[in-house]
Structure formats: C-alpha cells, structure tokens
Amino acid sequence: MIKTIGVLTSGGDAPGMNAAIRAVVRAGCELGMKVYAIKRGYNGLMEDDMYEMNLRSVSDIINRGGTILYSARSSRFKTEEGMQDAINTCKKRGIEGLVVIGGDGSFRGARDLSLRGIPCVAIPGTIDNDIGCCDYTIGYDTSMNTIMQMVDRIRDTAESHDRCAVVEVMGRGAGYLALTSGIACGATSTLIPEVPFDFERDVIDRMKRTQKSGKVHFVIIVSEAIGGVEEMAKRIQAETGVETRATILGHVQRGGSPTAKDRIVASQMGYHAVQLLKDGIGNRVVAMQKEKILDIDIFEALNMKNEIDLNMYKMSLDISI
Ligand code: F6P
C-alpha cells in the first residue's frame, strides 16, 4: 500500500476545493498515510513548499471558499526542467502518489507526472464545468448560485427603471455557466460560444417581440467567451429605445462558501481519489457521470469532448419569450 501522498490545488480556485482537500487528508490519515499539503499548485511541488497534515489540519474548512493550499497556474512546470524538479521533490519526500485538484490544464500536468512514474489522481475543480469526461466539476453549483443571486439584484434595479441589463458571466471558453444561470435567471436571451448567434435576431428581435406582449425590463446573459457587453448595451439602447446597462460580474463568481452540492461532491471525489491511490492506482480522473462517482483513464479523459446540451439551450429560448 502507498504510504505517502501529496495533495495540491492548481489553476483557478473553486468553491468546494477545501472540502475535497479535507476528504483527501482525512481519508489518507485514516489509512495511516502521511499526507503532504503542497502549496500554490505545481509551484510548491517544484520548490518543495509543503507541510505534513493531520486530521485537525483540515478542521473548519468544509464551509470555506477558495483553497487553503493556495493555487497557481505554473508555466515553468510545463518545461522539462520544472517537471524534473517536481519529480526530485517527490523522491526526496517519499511521495508515491498525488491528488491534483483543478481544471484540464492541471490534468495535463498530472498526466505528464504519471507518465514519469508518479501516480496521480485528478479531481475536477473549476467553476466552468468544462471538463469533457465529467458531468460536474466542483465549484460549478456555487458559482451558478452566486450568479443567480447577483443577477436577481440587478433585476430588481432593472425592473425599477424599466431597463435592460446585459450581464457577462465567466466560464472561460465554455457556455455552461451562462446557459444554466440564464435559465435560472429567466434571461430573455443567453449568448454562449457553442451556439452561433445573430445579434439582431437573437437579442434585438426577441426583445421587440416581448415588448409587444408588454415586457418592459430585460436581462441578457452573455458568456465571457463572447464578451463585448458594453457595445451590446449601446446597440440595444439605440435599437429598442430601452435604457440599458452592462455589468461584468467578474471574480465575485469564484468566491464564497460552497453550496451543499459542492461540499458533498467534493467530499466524495476526495475520498474516491485516496481509495485509488492507496492501491497504487494512478493516472485516473475522478468524475461524476449520471450522479455516480467513478474514475477514468487520464489520457482518455483529456481526449473527451464537452458537449453543450442543445435541447436545454432550445428550451431556455422557448420559455424566455
Ligand atoms: O477557470 C476559472 C475562471 O474563473 C474562468 O471562468 C475565467 O475565464 C478565468 O478563470 C479567470 O482567470 P483569472 O482568475 O486568472 O483572471
């Protein structure tokens, strides 16, 4: 059985990462493992910046946003030299397995380390929900709920002034956060990168149609991959006569106490990762598929494509008019 493991968080932080760290540490300690907390993602591995954890090191973190391990996106780790430093640290500390919590960029690092003999298990942690092999990534639910709450507030003021609110939401290159928060917020139009759009047809004409049925205030959700909300707001105002304001929600979407769903999924995934590593099984991604927690070969996982649910998109259009 593997005796010493490390855990790190890499890439953009996501609410629920702490719950996953807690599960890894507790499950590892219960199995009698030595568990190292590696700081600032792969940087901590290259620079040997880590400390040993015990059962109490992860007390009172399940409810906290961010990551107690800190996070980073490391370009040096992508070089052969950086990779070698990381392997040397593992050898020096006796680390026989790693849990990597992050997005697909972090998974590529885990794959490369696995190829060089350090078994890694990756856990999907990103608000973007953009990982091909997983129906769900840790942080998505919290972020979606934050967006919903923020847009509800924007709606209050848009309603009071008969305005249109154009709101840009995160998601990197993926439209999941925009699509589902658009549904949750009852947006008149939602623009996502996966579905080509015609601004005149999909925003202006839709607004005009709803105006005819008596609608006087509007919410338009735009994925950050499309952007340009300030220009959109000007165009909407000019073409519909509705006073319009643009908001870029920004990093408020990434912080905050994780929802129950994120805490539960993160706990399940962290626990699952340790059960794999204890038997020396690495090169795996822990994933949620059809509400079940399972694991997939990391190479396969990286080749899987994330498809947006087009029926869901159509439904969102049909009921938001
Ligand atoms: O991947 C998470 C995410 O928040 C994306 O939605 C966004 O595009 C990006 O990270 C922002 O990154 P940064 O915090 O480096 O600006």
Side-chain angles (χ1 to χ4, degrees):
M1 191 182 101
I2 277 189
K3 282 273 169 231
T4 306
I5 62 170
V7 55
L8 62 84
T9 48
S10 164
D13 62 317
M17 279 183 164
N18 283 327
I21 296 164
R22 171 180 176 271
V24 169
V25 173
R26 292 264 167 89
C29 289
E30 275 299 279
L31 288 166
M33 290 174 171
K34 190 185 261 193
V35 185
Y36 281 112
I38 301 164
K39 290 167 76 176
R40 297 186 173 80
Y42 292 112
N43 288 340
L45 200 57
M46 292 183 293
E47 294 157 15
D48 190 15
D49 188 8
M50 60 182 73
Y51 56 95
E52 197 183 327
M53 292 199 131
N54 60 42
L55 290 172
R56 296 277 69 77
S57 318
V58 288
S59 297
D60 302 317
I61 67 165
I62 196 165
N63 54 322
R64 282 168 57 187
T67 160
I68 61 158
L69 302 181
Y70 309 106
S71 193
R73 296 189 177 100
S74 169
S75 46
R76 190 168 166 264
F77 183 66
K78 292 185 187 134
T79 66
E80 199 47 50
E81 196 193 23
M83 182 66 59
Q84 205 45 57
D85 283 350
I87 291 167
N88 290 343
T89 306
C90 289
K91 284 190 184 141
K92 179 176 142 198
R93 295 274 190 175
I95 294 174
E96 302 162 286
L98 270 182
V99 180
V100 172
I101 308 166
D104 57 359
S106 317
F107 286 15
R108 275 181 255 284
R111 172 200 61 195
D112 294 346
L113 271 177
S114 296
L115 277 173
R116 288 164 175 80
I118 312 284
C120 293
V121 177
I123 293 180
T126 164
I127 62 166
D128 302 332
N129 201 28
D130 61 348
I131 298 184
C133 64
C134 312
D135 293 350
Y136 190 79
T137 61
I138 296 168
Y140 176 57
D141 189 57
T142 306
S143 182
M144 198 166 40
N145 276 285
T146 302
I147 294 170
M148 188 184 73
Q149 287 160 17
M150 295 302 117
V151 175
D152 283 353
R153 289 166 189 225
I154 292 171
R155 176 196 289 273
D156 287 345
T157 164
E159 184 179 356
S160 304
H161 290 268
D162 293 341
R163 280 178 178 163
C164 172
V166 184
V167 184
E168 181 188 301
V169 304
M170 279 186 170
R172 199 179 289 274
Y176 277 97
L177 267 181
L179 171 58
T180 50
S181 55
I183 294 169
C185 298
T188 304
S189 294
T190 302
L191 304 181
I192 58 173
E194 293 85 352
V195 181
F197 68 94
D198 173 326
F199 197 77
E200 201 61 31
R201 181 194 63 203
D202 298 321
V203 178
I204 304 290
D205 289 354
R206 281 176 71 78
M207 280 181 67
K208 286 183 178 165
R209 265 181 71 196
T210 60
Q211 273 178 315
K212 282 192 192 126
S213 64
K215 194 170 170 65
V216 287
H217 62 274
F218 308 83
V219 171
I220 312 291
I221 300 281
V222 180
S223 161
E224 69 169 333
I226 291 168
V229 286
E230 290 288 352
E231 295 70 35
M232 286 181 188
K234 283 190 193 125
R235 189 166 161 192
I236 289 169
Q237 188 158 320
E239 294 196 36
T240 65
V242 179
E243 200 179 2
T244 304
R245 296 284 187 271
T247 306
I248 297 175
L249 281 185
H251 285 79
V252 68
Q253 298 163 90
R254 233 166 62 192
S257 178
T259 58
K261 173 160 182 168
D262 276 323
R263 298 181 198 195
I264 295 164
V265 174
S267 300
Q268 289 176 290
M269 288 185 168
Y271 183 81
H272 191 97
V274 174
Q275 306 313 311
L276 291 171
L277 280 183
K278 90 171 183 313
D279 297 326
I281 301 171
N283 318 331
R284 308 292 290 175
V285 172
V286 179
M288 182 180 235
Q289 288 181 356
K290 299 195 170 80
E291 303 297 315
K292 292 242 172 320
I293 304 292
L294 41 81
D295 50 274
I296 302 164
D297 180 88
I298 207 164
F299 303 98
E300 247 176 66
L302 279 167
N303 284 326
M304 288 165 84
K305 262 192 88 70
N306 206 15
E307 306 283 351
I308 205 96
D309 184 343
L310 292 174
N311 289 329
M312 194 189 251
Y313 187 74
K314 182 182 178 309
M315 179 277 288
S316 81
L317 289 180
D318 287 351
I319 63 170
S320 301
I321 199 81

